[in-house]
Amino acid sequence: MGVFMPDAVAEVGHLLAVVEALDPRAAQELRGGLPRCDSTFGLGLAFFLAATANGARAWLGPKRCRLLEQLDGGALLDDLDLALAPRHRRTADGREWRVMSIPVMDGTAAGGCRGLLCAISDGADLQTGSALVLQMRLPALGAVQLVAAG
C-alpha cells in the first residue's frame, strides 16, 4: 500500500526490553498478549487489538505505566501510542483505508518480533461491502498477503 507507518515492531521491542529490565515476569505476560505465527494467531491478534484499542497504556496497565513514566516522564509510552495508532490513507483508486502496524512475535526465536500491516476499507459512495488486507513477511515464505472482502 506504500503507507508510511511508525515502526510499531521496534517500539514494542524497545518497550519489552525496558519492561524486561524492570520486571521480567511482567514482560513475559506482555509477550503472551502479542499475536504469534502459530495456531493461536487469530486469538492473539484479536486480544492484542482489543487490549490496545485504548492505547499502549491500557495494554500495559496502570502499575507498569507508573514505573515507565518515572523513568522518562512517559516519553516511551507516547512513542508507543503513536506507533500503534491507526492511520487513515486514501489509495489511488479513491478508497479510504484504516491502516495499523501490528507487532507479531516470532514463535521460533525468543524475543524475535515481526510486523503485520493491517488495512481495512469500508464501502463508501458507490462501493459496497468492506475489505481487509493483512501483509506480513514470514521467515519461511517471505512476503505474504491475505485479502478478504465481503
Side-chain angles (χ1 to χ4, degrees):
M1 292 191 62
V3 177
F4 169 76
M5 299 287 296
D7 191 359
V9 174
E11 292 295 342
V12 167
H14 180 65
L15 171 87
L16 288 173
V18 172
V19 174
E20 180 79 41
L22 295 173
D23 185 350
R25 189 172 183 181
Q28 183 178 14
E29 181 184 325
L30 289 173
R31 281 189 181 94
L34 289 171
R36 298 183 169 277
C37 297
D38 62 15
S39 62
T40 65
F41 179 75
L43 180 63
L45 181 60
F47 172 82
F48 182 77
L49 290 174
T52 56
N54 294 317
R57 286 169 178 81
W59 178 48
L60 292 166
K63 181 181 174 187
R64 290 183 201 119
C65 287
R66 279 193 298 275
L67 284 172
L68 292 169
E69 286 173 348
Q70 289 173 359
L71 292 178
D72 63 4
L76 176 59
L77 296 175
D78 290 342
D79 288 347
L80 188 61
D81 274 336
L82 179 63
L84 293 174
R87 304 291 191 272
H88 292 276
R89 298 289 185 258
R90 187 174 298 279
T91 54
D93 62 4
R95 285 188 291 178
E96 180 85 14
W97 290 85
R98 182 176 177 265
V99 182
M100 183 177 188
S101 181
I102 302 167
V104 177
M105 294 300 293
D106 184 344
T108 60
C113 206
R114 300 192 181 279
L116 171 72
L117 185 64
C118 178
I120 302 167
S121 175
D122 290 321
D125 300 329
L126 299 176
Q127 300 173 3
T128 59
S130 61
L132 171 68
V133 179
L134 300 176
Q135 298 179 41
M136 185 175 209
R137 183 168 295 281
L138 299 173
L141 298 175
V144 176
Q145 186 177 70
L146 173 67
V147 180

